[in-house]
Amino acid sequence: MTAERLEQLQYLLKEVPLLEKSIKASNNAELTSILNERLKKCVAERNELEQYLAAIQEEFILQVFTLRFVGGLRWSQIAMAVGGNNTPASLRMMACRYMKNGQ
C-alpha cells in the first residue's frame, strides 16, 4: 500500500455520495451507465482501502493513519492530536516504515 493510494480515501468518501446523487438525478440511460461504472470502481477502491486500515492491529498506527488518510489532517496537526512528544517528521517516518514493510 502507498500513501498516495491511501490519500485517495478521503476523496472517495466524498465522491461516492455525489455519484449516487447524480445517478438518481440522471434521466439519460447512457450517462447513468457511465456513472454506475464509476460508482462501482469507487466503492471497490474504498472497500480495499478500508480493509487495509481495518487490518492494522496497532492502535496508535491506526489512529495516525485514520487522522491522516480519512481525516485529511496534516502531519503537524496529527502530532498535536496524538501528543506524546511525537513530531510531524517522526509520525511521517513511522507511517512510511509501516507501509514499506508491507504491513
Side-chain angles (χ1 to χ4, degrees), residues 61-79:
I61 292 175
L62 178 59
Q63 181 182 14
V64 169
F65 275 49
T66 301
L67 291 170
R68 176 66 181 180
F69 301 116
V70 177
L73 272 63
R74 294 186 312 267
W75 291 112
S76 58
Q77 293 171 307
I78 297 168

Side-chain angles (χ1 to χ4, degrees), residues 48-93:
E48 188 175 337
L49 295 172
E50 291 281 2
Q51 287 174 359
Y52 176 81
L53 291 177
I56 297 174
Q57 295 184 8
E58 297 174 47
E59 289 298 322
F60 182 73
I61 292 175
L62 178 59
Q63 181 182 14
V64 169
F65 275 49
T66 301
L67 291 170
R68 176 66 181 180
F69 301 116
V70 177
L73 272 63
R74 294 186 312 267
W75 291 112
S76 58
Q77 293 171 307
I78 297 168
M80 288 176 50
V82 299
N85 293 325
N86 290 292
T87 66
S90 68
L91 293 172
R92 186 175 60 251
M93 288 303 298

Side-chain angles (χ1 to χ4, degrees), residues 8-9 11-20 34-50:
Q8 295 303 306
L9 183 56
Y11 302 111
L12 290 169
L13 292 172
K14 295 175 186 174
E15 186 172 5
V16 169
L18 291 174
L19 286 170
E20 290 171 340
I34 292 168
L35 292 172
N36 274 320
E37 284 302 311
R38 282 183 52 201
L39 180 61
K40 283 183 199 175
K41 288 178 185 177
C42 288
V43 169
E45 179 71 6
R46 184 183 73 182
N47 288 343
E48 188 175 337
L49 295 172
E50 291 281 2

Side-chain angles (χ1 to χ4, degrees), residues 18-27 31-32 35-36 39:
L18 291 174
L19 286 170
E20 290 171 340
K21 185 177 178 181
S22 295
I23 290 168
K24 286 180 183 177
S26 176
N27 295 326
L31 177 60
T32 301
L35 292 172
N36 274 320
L39 180 61

